[in-house]
Amino acid sequence: MTTEIKRVWVSQPVIIGGGPSGLAVAACLKKKGLPSLILERENCAASLWRNRTYDRLRLHLPKNFCQLPYMEFPPDFPSYPTKEQYIEYLDAYVKHFSIEPIYEEHVQIAEYDSAMGFWLVKTNNAEFVCRWLIVATGENADPVIPEIDGISDFHGQVLHTSLYKNGDEFEGDKVLVLGCGNSGMEISLDLCNCGAQVSIVVRDTLHILPRDILGRSTFGVSMCLLKWFPIWLVDQFLLFCSRLILQDVRQLGFKRPELGPLELKIRTGKTPVLDVGTLAKIRTGQIKVVPGVKRFTNRGVEFVDGRVDEFDSVILATGYRTNVPSWLKEDEFFSKDDGYPRKPFPNGWKGKNGLYSVGFTKKGLLGASIDAQRVAEDISQQWKSETKHFHLRV
């Protein structure tokens, strides 16, 4: 016997995702006097931050670049708030704007019904019918688990960073960290500080920059300089400061891309690594840099240069991907290939038939906040126009 799915008519915008992006657009709509409905698949808001981040995590950018619209961080928070502080901020944000997501509503299909002129959003519990659909599931919806030859035969523990909390359980173990982005570098440092023997895989080129320059955040300095100088010149300045502060990272096994850090970020979305102390451990040999993995063995890995080594555990710092193509039945606004809007920032926030996106800018929380305000303004104008026409007809 099958249970009939109930159909729910929703007059306000429906937001898919209760993370920072979804909360931001809900708050922006509320500031315009408009209600909204958030559908969140987990049992809490900001589930990625709450349940899938490591304990020592701090915001990689200063708090003034990470605050959501219409609410600043508490003045006593440090420049780089901790994970716990950021969650506290998000909880206060939800309370301040009286945002009430519907939890454990996992969207299975969302598609536009051209005959009806509305969006049909089917979840595990109901089918919602709405005029405006805002996709806010973000860039980090699902972990990326790479397929590497022999990984299923490895007898040790294989853990994605979404499940890693701290290095306490790895004390004395030989651990391989696969991936050298900000998370991989910081988790390597955490493991090392907890007494693990750490090796980190560096397969591709990457930029490593100091987190701060002359007491100011590198990102903040960059944003200031870009107001006056071309991007190539700012990139040269950043690389000069990096060599001055971090010295020559090529001696440690890192190769820089041909494009500068800012230009690379704009073109590809690849974020430079901001060093928080990992390089110092690499210089002393406490963290080893190793090349790409060719295949796994029962007890370890074989690297692309032919070397073989044994490990007790492997941490997959291989990032996340958007899950939009798995449930949104639309391919004009969102690309089926990568799950991002086809038009890059700042033009990727609005599609057709009342479809919007927030949190897919590749520019972090600042980009999500900018899009949230644009979406709210656009829907507000439509809402007022339709309400005005309704009153005129009456």
Side-chain angles (χ1 to χ4, degrees):
M1 180 178 179
T2 59
T3 303
E4 184 177 350
I5 296 293
K6 61 180 179 179
R7 175 171 286 188
V8 181
W9 161 250
V10 183
S11 59
Q12 63 261 46
V14 169
I15 303 167
I16 312 299
S21 296
L23 300 179
V25 72
C28 290
L29 286 165
K30 183 151 288 190
K31 289 289 287 187
K32 297 289 184 181
L34 305 183
S36 62
L37 177 67
I38 295 180
L39 302 179
E40 165 57 44
R41 67 178 178 178
E42 304 295 342
N43 62 359
C44 60
S47 61
L48 175 65
W49 282 90
R50 212 178 294 271
N51 301 326
R52 291 190 284 163
T53 51
Y54 44 95
D55 294 343
R56 67 160 286 141
L57 177 65
R58 287 179 174 267
L59 293 180
H60 291 128
L61 301 182
K63 61 184 180 182
N64 56 305
F65 293 106
C66 300
Q67 60 196 22
L68 301 184
Y70 308 113
M71 184 171 166
E72 296 181 350
F73 279 92
D76 59 335
F77 275 25
S79 296
Y80 299 94
T82 65
K83 164 186 172 178
E84 290 76 15
Q85 288 171 325
Y86 190 60
I87 292 172
E88 179 184 337
Y89 168 76
L90 292 177
D91 287 340
Y93 195 82
V94 169
K95 183 177 180 180
H96 178 76
F97 290 102
S98 301
I99 301 172
E100 299 180 352
I102 301 180
Y103 297 118
E104 298 183 330
E105 289 286 349
H106 192 169
V107 175
Q108 299 169 348
I109 296 175
E111 57 186 339
Y112 184 72
D113 189 316
S114 56
M116 292 177 57
F118 292 97
W119 286 91
L120 305 180
V121 183
K122 184 178 179 181
T123 73
N124 53 308
N125 294 315
E127 184 178 61
F128 299 86
V129 183
C130 60
R131 168 74 176 82
W132 298 282
L133 181 65
I134 304 170
V135 180
T137 48
E139 303 165 356
N140 302 317
D142 293 333
V144 173
I145 308 296
E147 295 182 6
I148 303 175
D149 185 29
I151 192 169
S152 59
D153 299 324
F154 177 62
H155 290 170
Q157 179 180 204
V158 179
L159 199 68
H160 189 269
T161 53
S162 58
L163 300 175
Y164 177 91
K165 293 304 177 185
N166 56 64
D168 291 345
E169 65 175 284
F170 300 94
E171 182 180 1
D173 287 355
K174 288 188 65 176
V175 184
L176 179 68
V177 177
L178 191 60
C180 56
N182 279 297
S183 294
M185 294 285 273
E186 192 165 355
I187 286 174
S188 295
L189 177 61
D190 187 55
L191 286 164
C192 182
N193 288 339
C194 290
Q197 303 173 54
V198 187
S199 297
I200 184 169
V201 172
V202 178
R203 186 182 60 179
D204 300 321
T205 59
L206 80 158
H207 284 295
I208 304 178
L209 303 176
R211 189 179 68 171
D212 300 287
I213 296 175
L214 299 176
R216 295 186 59 187
S217 80
T218 299
F219 183 79
V221 170
S222 302
M223 294 301 99
C224 182
L225 292 176
L226 285 173
K227 296 177 181 179
W228 305 98
F229 302 103
I231 189 171
W232 68 267
L233 188 56
V234 178
D235 270 339
Q236 290 303 309
F237 173 77
L238 292 178
L239 292 175
F240 170 77
C241 291
S242 178
R243 287 191 292 270
L244 192 65
I245 298 171
L246 302 179
Q247 303 174 30
D248 188 358
V249 297
R250 291 176 299 179
Q251 299 176 354
L252 304 178
F254 298 96
K255 295 181 180 179
R256 292 193 182 277
E258 293 184 4
L259 293 176
L262 297 181
E263 188 174 359
L264 186 67
K265 173 65 174 174
I266 291 173
R267 289 196 186 187
T268 68
K270 188 173 182 179
T271 302
V273 171
L274 300 177
D275 181 55
V276 292
T278 309
L279 287 182
K281 298 290 186 180
I282 293 174
R283 283 196 175 89
T284 60
Q286 293 172 275
I287 297 176
K288 296 180 180 179
V289 172
V290 294
V293 173
K294 180 179 180 180
R295 66 182 182 91
F296 277 82
T297 66
N298 290 345
R299 302 177 63 86
V301 300
E302 178 184 345
F303 297 104
V304 292
D305 63 358
R307 284 186 292 166
V308 178
D309 203 351
E310 295 184 357
F311 294 95
D312 300 301
S313 301
V314 174
I315 309 296
L316 300 176
T318 44
Y320 296 84
R321 63 164 63 94
T322 165
N323 64 9
V324 174
S326 68
W327 56 267
L328 181 63
K329 305 307 174 184
E330 188 276 345
D331 58 9
E332 184 177 346
F333 179 41
F334 276 90
S335 169
K336 289 292 184 183
D337 295 329
D338 62 7
Y340 282 81
R342 293 185 181 276
K343 294 181 179 179
F345 181 84
N347 302 309
W349 59 274
K350 182 179 180 180
K352 293 182 178 179
N353 303 316
L355 180 62
Y356 299 88
S357 78
V358 176
F360 296 87
T361 64
K362 297 182 181 180
K363 296 187 178 298
L365 295 165
L366 180 61
S369 295
I370 293 172
D371 276 359
Q373 294 176 80
R374 288 173 173 160
V375 170
E377 176 63 31
D378 194 71
I379 294 178
S380 174
Q381 292 178 2
Q382 295 178 54
W383 185 287
K384 292 176 182 178
S385 175
E386 292 183 8
T387 302
K388 180 180 179 180
H389 291 161
F390 174 79
H391 286 305
L392 288 175
R393 288 196 301 270
V394 173

